[in-house]
Amino acid sequence: MPFLSITSNADIFPEDIAPLLSEGAAICCEVLGKPADYMQTAFNAAASMTMGSRQGPCVLGEVRSIGLPGDSIQLLSEKLTVLLTVRLQVSAENIYLVFQDMPRDQWAWNGKTFG
């Protein structure tokens, strides 16, 4: 049930998107202890994004999950930032990451909520 969404205006070849998402999913599953079969990912290419007055590409990464322990957020932040700086060649200063712990009754799969 974890979901990782990456939105960026960084240049990336289409064939590099799947490996980026796969590595991001592996990080989320490892840190959160969630099964890979429930992990969903998305990459959104943005035509235009800004990050304050700084120049260059930027990223907004979003992680949503049922059961997002507070102590996992720092580790996810560190690991995902490294992944995004390496794979997208984006400065860590131009990366925002948002984490959301979803209530079980507000997340559904296969026609049923988890709560």
Side-chain angles (χ1 to χ4, degrees):
M1 69 233 49
F3 174 63
L4 169 64
S5 176
I6 300 168
T7 302
S8 181
N9 62 340
D11 291 329
I12 185 169
F13 292 112
E15 61 270 17
D16 293 334
I17 294 173
L20 168 67
L21 294 176
S22 179
E23 287 181 51
I27 289 169
C28 291
C29 289
E30 173 193 339
V31 172
L32 297 173
K34 303 285 186 173
D37 285 345
Y38 292 101
M39 182 74 209
Q40 189 175 57
T41 61
F43 182 84
N44 307 294
S48 179
M49 284 180 80
T50 63
M51 184 68 184
S53 62
R54 291 185 292 280
Q55 299 296 312
C58 52
V59 175
L60 171 63
E62 300 173 81
V63 177
R64 295 183 186 104
S65 181
I66 295 171
L68 188 60
D71 60 349
S72 67
I73 293 174
Q74 183 61 44
L75 184 56
L76 277 171
S77 178
E78 292 167 7
K79 289 181 174 250
L80 290 173
T81 297
V82 168
L83 172 69
L84 296 168
T85 58
V86 170
R87 286 287 190 164
L88 294 176
Q89 297 297 300
V90 174
S91 167
E93 293 178 337
N94 286 356
I95 298 173
Y96 266 153
L97 297 174
V98 178
F99 301 92
Q100 186 175 16
D101 188 355
M102 298 294 298
R104 298 176 83 65
D105 63 346
Q106 293 184 15
W107 199 293
W109 171 72
N110 201 19
K112 299 177 189 113
T113 65
F114 286 95

